[in-house]
CSV table of all heavy atoms in Angstrom, one decimal:
chain,number,residue,atom,x,y,z
A,1,LEU,N,-29.0,-17.3,80.4
A,1,LEU,CA,-28.2,-18.5,80.8
A,1,LEU,C,-28.9,-19.1,82.0
A,1,LEU,O,-29.2,-18.4,83.0
A,1,LEU,CB,-26.8,-18.1,81.1
A,1,LEU,CG,-25.8,-19.2,81.5
A,1,LEU,CD1,-25.6,-20.2,80.4
A,1,LEU,CD2,-24.5,-18.5,81.9
A,2,VAL,N,-29.1,-20.4,82.0
A,2,VAL,CA,-29.6,-21.2,83.1
A,2,VAL,C,-28.5,-22.1,83.6
A,2,VAL,O,-28.1,-23.0,82.8
A,2,VAL,CB,-30.9,-22.0,82.7
A,2,VAL,CG1,-31.4,-22.7,84.0
A,2,VAL,CG2,-32.0,-21.0,82.2
A,3,ILE,N,-28.1,-22.0,84.8
A,3,ILE,CA,-27.0,-22.8,85.4
A,3,ILE,C,-27.6,-23.8,86.4
A,3,ILE,O,-28.1,-23.3,87.4
A,3,ILE,CB,-25.9,-21.9,86.0
A,3,ILE,CG1,-25.3,-21.0,85.0
A,3,ILE,CG2,-24.8,-22.8,86.7
A,3,ILE,CD1,-24.2,-20.1,85.5
A,4,GLY,N,-27.4,-25.1,86.1
A,4,GLY,CA,-27.9,-26.1,87.0
A,4,GLY,C,-26.8,-27.1,87.2
A,4,GLY,O,-25.8,-27.2,86.5
A,5,ARG,N,-27.0,-28.0,88.2
A,5,ARG,CA,-26.1,-29.0,88.5
A,5,ARG,C,-26.0,-30.0,87.4
A,5,ARG,O,-24.9,-30.5,87.1
A,5,ARG,CB,-26.5,-29.7,89.8
A,5,ARG,CG,-26.1,-29.0,91.1
A,5,ARG,CD,-24.6,-29.1,91.4
A,5,ARG,NE,-24.2,-28.2,92.5
A,5,ARG,CZ,-23.0,-28.1,92.9
A,5,ARG,NH1,-22.0,-28.8,92.3
A,5,ARG,NH2,-22.6,-27.3,93.9
A,6,GLU,N,-27.1,-30.4,86.8
A,6,GLU,CA,-27.1,-31.4,85.8
A,6,GLU,C,-27.0,-30.9,84.4
A,6,GLU,O,-26.7,-31.6,83.5
A,6,GLU,CB,-28.3,-32.3,86.0
A,6,GLU,CG,-28.4,-33.0,87.4
A,6,GLU,CD,-27.1,-33.8,87.7
A,6,GLU,OE1,-26.6,-34.4,86.8
A,6,GLU,OE2,-26.7,-33.7,88.9
A,7,GLU,N,-27.4,-29.6,84.2
A,7,GLU,CA,-27.4,-29.1,82.8
A,7,GLU,C,-27.2,-27.5,82.9
A,7,GLU,O,-27.8,-26.9,83.8
A,7,GLU,CB,-28.6,-29.4,82.0
A,7,GLU,CG,-28.6,-28.8,80.6
A,7,GLU,CD,-29.9,-29.1,79.8
A,7,GLU,OE1,-30.9,-28.5,80.2
A,7,GLU,OE2,-29.9,-29.8,78.9
A,8,CYS,N,-26.4,-27.0,82.0
A,8,CYS,CA,-26.3,-25.6,81.9
A,8,CYS,C,-26.7,-25.3,80.4
A,8,CYS,O,-26.2,-25.9,79.5
A,8,CYS,CB,-24.9,-25.1,82.1
A,8,CYS,SG,-24.3,-25.4,83.8
A,9,ALA,N,-27.7,-24.3,80.3
A,9,ALA,CA,-28.2,-24.1,78.9
A,9,ALA,C,-28.4,-22.7,78.7
A,9,ALA,O,-28.6,-21.8,79.6
A,9,ALA,CB,-29.6,-24.9,78.8
A,10,LEU,N,-28.5,-22.3,77.4
A,10,LEU,CA,-28.7,-21.0,76.9
A,10,LEU,C,-29.9,-20.9,76.1
A,10,LEU,O,-30.1,-21.7,75.1
A,10,LEU,CB,-27.4,-20.6,76.1
A,10,LEU,CG,-27.3,-19.1,75.7
A,10,LEU,CD1,-27.2,-18.2,77.0
A,10,LEU,CD2,-26.0,-18.9,74.9
A,11,TYR,N,-30.9,-20.0,76.5
A,11,TYR,CA,-32.2,-20.0,75.9
A,11,TYR,C,-32.4,-18.6,75.2
A,11,TYR,O,-31.9,-17.6,75.7
A,11,TYR,CB,-33.3,-20.2,76.9
A,11,TYR,CG,-33.4,-21.6,77.4
A,11,TYR,CD1,-32.6,-22.0,78.5
A,11,TYR,CD2,-34.2,-22.6,76.9
A,11,TYR,CE1,-32.7,-23.3,79.1
A,11,TYR,CE2,-34.3,-23.8,77.4
A,11,TYR,CZ,-33.5,-24.2,78.5
A,11,TYR,OH,-33.6,-25.4,79.0
A,12,GLU,N,-33.3,-18.6,74.2
A,12,GLU,CA,-33.9,-17.3,73.8
A,12,GLU,C,-35.0,-17.0,74.8
A,12,GLU,O,-35.5,-17.8,75.5
A,12,GLU,CB,-34.5,-17.5,72.4
A,12,GLU,CG,-33.5,-17.8,71.3
A,12,GLU,CD,-34.1,-18.0,69.9
A,12,GLU,OE1,-35.4,-18.0,69.9
A,12,GLU,OE2,-33.4,-18.2,69.0
A,13,ILE,N,-35.3,-15.7,74.8
A,13,ILE,CA,-36.3,-15.2,75.7
A,13,ILE,C,-37.6,-15.1,75.0
A,13,ILE,O,-37.7,-14.4,73.9
A,13,ILE,CB,-35.9,-13.9,76.4
A,13,ILE,CG1,-34.7,-14.1,77.3
A,13,ILE,CG2,-37.1,-13.2,77.1
A,13,ILE,CD1,-34.2,-12.8,77.9
A,14,GLY,N,-38.7,-15.8,75.5
A,14,GLY,CA,-39.9,-15.8,74.8
A,14,GLY,C,-40.7,-14.4,75.0
A,14,GLY,O,-41.1,-13.8,74.1
A,15,SER,N,-40.8,-14.1,76.3
A,15,SER,CA,-41.4,-12.8,76.7
A,15,SER,C,-40.8,-12.3,77.9
A,15,SER,O,-40.1,-13.1,78.7
A,15,SER,CB,-42.9,-13.0,76.9
A,15,SER,OG,-43.2,-13.9,78.0
A,16,ALA,N,-40.8,-11.0,78.2
A,16,ALA,CA,-40.2,-10.4,79.3
A,16,ALA,C,-41.0,-9.3,79.9
A,16,ALA,O,-41.6,-8.5,79.2
A,16,ALA,CB,-38.8,-9.9,78.9
A,17,GLU,N,-41.1,-9.3,81.2
A,17,GLU,CA,-41.9,-8.2,81.9
A,17,GLU,C,-40.9,-7.6,82.9
A,17,GLU,O,-40.4,-8.3,83.8
A,17,GLU,CB,-43.1,-8.8,82.6
A,17,GLU,CG,-43.8,-7.8,83.5
A,17,GLU,CD,-44.9,-8.5,84.4
A,17,GLU,OE1,-45.0,-9.8,84.3
A,17,GLU,OE2,-45.5,-7.8,85.2
A,18,ASN,N,-40.7,-6.3,82.8
A,18,ASN,CA,-39.8,-5.6,83.7
A,18,ASN,C,-40.2,-5.7,85.2
A,18,ASN,O,-41.4,-5.5,85.4
A,18,ASN,CB,-39.6,-4.2,83.3
A,18,ASN,CG,-38.8,-4.1,82.0
A,18,ASN,OD1,-38.1,-5.0,81.6
A,18,ASN,ND2,-39.0,-3.0,81.3
A,19,VAL,N,-39.3,-5.9,86.1
A,19,VAL,CA,-39.6,-5.9,87.5
A,19,VAL,C,-38.6,-5.0,88.2
A,19,VAL,O,-37.4,-4.9,87.8
A,19,VAL,CB,-39.4,-7.4,88.1
A,19,VAL,CG1,-39.6,-7.4,89.6
A,19,VAL,CG2,-40.3,-8.3,87.4
A,20,ARG,N,-39.1,-4.2,89.1
A,20,ARG,CA,-38.2,-3.3,89.8
A,20,ARG,C,-37.2,-4.0,90.6
A,20,ARG,O,-37.5,-4.9,91.4
A,20,ARG,CB,-39.0,-2.3,90.7
A,20,ARG,CG,-38.1,-1.3,91.4
A,20,ARG,CD,-38.9,-0.3,92.2
A,20,ARG,NE,-38.1,0.7,92.9
A,20,ARG,CZ,-38.5,1.6,93.7
A,20,ARG,NH1,-39.8,1.6,94.1
A,20,ARG,NH2,-37.7,2.4,94.3
A,21,ALA,N,-35.9,-3.7,90.5
A,21,ALA,CA,-34.8,-4.3,91.2
A,21,ALA,C,-34.4,-3.6,92.4
A,21,ALA,O,-34.4,-2.3,92.5
A,21,ALA,CB,-33.6,-4.5,90.3
A,22,MET,N,-34.1,-4.3,93.5
A,22,MET,CA,-33.5,-3.7,94.7
A,22,MET,C,-32.2,-3.0,94.4
A,22,MET,O,-32.0,-1.9,94.9
A,22,MET,CB,-33.3,-4.8,95.7
A,22,MET,CG,-32.6,-4.3,97.0
A,22,MET,SD,-32.1,-5.6,98.1
A,22,MET,CE,-30.9,-6.4,97.1
A,23,ASP,N,-31.4,-3.6,93.6
A,23,ASP,CA,-30.1,-3.0,93.2
A,23,ASP,C,-30.4,-2.1,91.9
A,23,ASP,O,-30.7,-2.6,90.9
A,23,ASP,CB,-29.1,-4.1,92.8
A,23,ASP,CG,-27.7,-3.6,92.4
A,23,ASP,OD1,-27.6,-2.4,92.1
A,23,ASP,OD2,-26.8,-4.4,92.4
A,24,PRO,N,-30.2,-0.8,92.1
A,24,PRO,CA,-30.5,0.1,91.0
A,24,PRO,C,-29.6,-0.1,89.8
A,24,PRO,O,-29.9,0.4,88.7
A,24,PRO,CB,-30.4,1.5,91.6
A,24,PRO,CG,-29.4,1.3,92.7
A,24,PRO,CD,-29.7,-0.1,93.3
A,25,GLY,N,-28.5,-0.8,89.9
A,25,GLY,CA,-27.5,-0.9,88.8
A,25,GLY,C,-27.8,-2.1,87.9
A,25,GLY,O,-27.0,-2.4,87.1
A,26,VAL,N,-28.9,-2.8,88.2
A,26,VAL,CA,-29.3,-4.0,87.3
A,26,VAL,C,-30.7,-3.9,86.8
A,26,VAL,O,-31.5,-3.1,87.3
A,26,VAL,CB,-29.1,-5.3,88.1
A,26,VAL,CG1,-27.7,-5.5,88.7
A,26,VAL,CG2,-30.2,-5.5,89.1
A,27,ARG,N,-31.0,-4.6,85.7
A,27,ARG,CA,-32.3,-4.8,85.3
A,27,ARG,C,-32.8,-6.2,85.7
A,27,ARG,O,-32.1,-7.1,85.6
A,27,ARG,CB,-32.4,-4.7,83.7
A,27,ARG,CG,-32.1,-3.3,83.2
A,27,ARG,CD,-32.2,-3.4,81.6
A,27,ARG,NE,-31.2,-4.3,81.1
A,27,ARG,CZ,-31.3,-4.9,79.9
A,27,ARG,NH1,-32.4,-4.5,79.1
A,27,ARG,NH2,-30.4,-5.7,79.4
A,28,LEU,N,-34.1,-6.3,86.1
A,28,LEU,CA,-34.7,-7.5,86.4
A,28,LEU,C,-35.9,-7.7,85.5
A,28,LEU,O,-36.7,-6.7,85.3
A,28,LEU,CB,-35.1,-7.6,87.8
A,28,LEU,CG,-34.1,-8.0,88.9
A,28,LEU,CD1,-34.8,-8.1,90.3
A,28,LEU,CD2,-33.3,-9.2,88.6
A,29,SER,N,-36.1,-8.9,85.0
A,29,SER,CA,-37.3,-9.2,84.2
A,29,SER,C,-37.8,-10.6,84.5
A,29,SER,O,-37.1,-11.5,84.8
A,29,SER,CB,-36.9,-9.2,82.7
A,29,SER,OG,-36.3,-8.0,82.3
A,30,ARG,N,-39.1,-10.6,84.5
A,30,ARG,CA,-39.8,-12.0,84.7
A,30,ARG,C,-40.0,-12.5,83.3
A,30,ARG,O,-40.7,-11.9,82.5
A,30,ARG,CB,-41.1,-11.8,85.4
A,30,ARG,CG,-41.8,-13.2,85.7
A,30,ARG,CD,-42.9,-13.0,86.7
A,30,ARG,NE,-42.4,-12.9,88.1
A,30,ARG,CZ,-42.4,-11.8,88.8
A,30,ARG,NH1,-43.0,-10.7,88.3
A,30,ARG,NH2,-41.9,-11.7,90.0
A,31,VAL,N,-39.4,-13.6,83.0
A,31,VAL,CA,-39.3,-14.1,81.6
A,31,VAL,C,-39.9,-15.5,81.4
A,31,VAL,O,-40.0,-16.2,82.3
A,31,VAL,CB,-37.9,-14.1,81.1
A,31,VAL,CG1,-37.2,-12.7,81.2
A,31,VAL,CG2,-37.0,-15.1,81.8
A,32,THR,N,-40.3,-15.7,80.2
A,32,THR,CA,-40.6,-17.1,79.7
A,32,THR,C,-39.5,-17.5,78.7
A,32,THR,O,-39.0,-16.7,78.0
A,32,THR,CB,-42.0,-17.2,79.1
A,32,THR,OG1,-42.0,-16.3,77.9
A,32,THR,CG2,-43.1,-16.8,80.1
A,33,LEU,N,-39.2,-18.8,78.7
A,33,LEU,CA,-38.1,-19.2,77.9
A,33,LEU,C,-38.6,-19.6,76.5
A,33,LEU,O,-39.7,-20.2,76.3
A,33,LEU,CB,-37.4,-20.4,78.5
A,33,LEU,CG,-36.8,-20.2,79.9
A,33,LEU,CD1,-36.1,-21.5,80.4
A,33,LEU,CD2,-35.8,-19.0,79.9
A,34,GLY,N,-37.8,-19.3,75.5
A,34,GLY,CA,-38.0,-19.7,74.1
A,34,GLY,C,-37.2,-20.9,73.7
A,34,GLY,O,-36.9,-21.8,74.5
A,35,ALA,N,-36.7,-20.9,72.5
A,35,ALA,CA,-35.9,-22.0,72.0
A,35,ALA,C,-34.5,-22.1,72.8
A,35,ALA,O,-33.9,-21.1,73.2
A,35,ALA,CB,-35.6,-21.8,70.5
């Protein structure tokens, strides 16, 4: 989900690379957007 002032949109994820999170209770990923 991408939340912006002018548009809020829901995308598929094209690719995802895991990133270590400061908060151990969450997953972080560096992603590219798909459709």
